[in-house]
Amino acid sequence: IRYWITNDLHLLVEYCKSFPVFNQLSKMDKMVLLSHMGGLQVMLTQAYYSVTNGHGSIVFPDKKIALDTDVDNSCRQSVSHL
């Protein structure tokens, strides 16, 4: 299992640290900035890969679908036969 959100947030922190102005901020300012940008970055990354792959659900960079309706439908059909 790949933890794409964790990887994306780690890359965001490392990217921010590459800017001299970011390093001049106080620790509290860095935390506030990253906490506000982290959620937005995760949503934009997921949206990008979903649109790029032409899918209506969340798609990760390895092209795995987070909420695959085909799997959900097959599970429902197998349960309905019980």
Side-chain angles (χ1 to χ4, degrees):
I1 295 174
R2 293 293 307 239
Y3 297 99
W4 291 110
I5 294 173
T6 305
N7 292 344
D8 290 342
L9 292 175
H10 176 74
L11 288 173
L12 175 67
V13 170
E14 293 303 315
Y15 180 68
C16 288
K17 288 175 10 182
S18 71
F19 294 99
V21 69
F22 181 79
N23 294 318
Q24 294 173 357
L25 296 173
S26 69
K27 185 175 181 176
M28 180 59 81
D29 289 341
K30 291 177 186 177
M31 289 175 29
V32 169
L33 179 63
L34 289 171
S35 67
H36 283 75
M37 289 304 300
L40 179 62
Q41 188 272 338
V42 167
M43 288 188 300
L44 290 174
T45 301
Q46 290 176 348
Y48 170 78
Y49 284 106
S50 299
V51 170
T52 301
N53 291 300
H55 204 278
S57 184
I58 296 172
V59 178
F60 295 111
D62 61 357
K63 297 187 180 179
K64 289 188 180 177
I65 301 168
L67 304 171
D68 194 356
T69 56
D70 293 335
V71 172
D72 291 341
N73 289 334
S74 65
C75 289
R76 286 188 193 117
Q77 289 172 358
S78 62
V79 171
S80 66
H81 294 308
L82 297 177

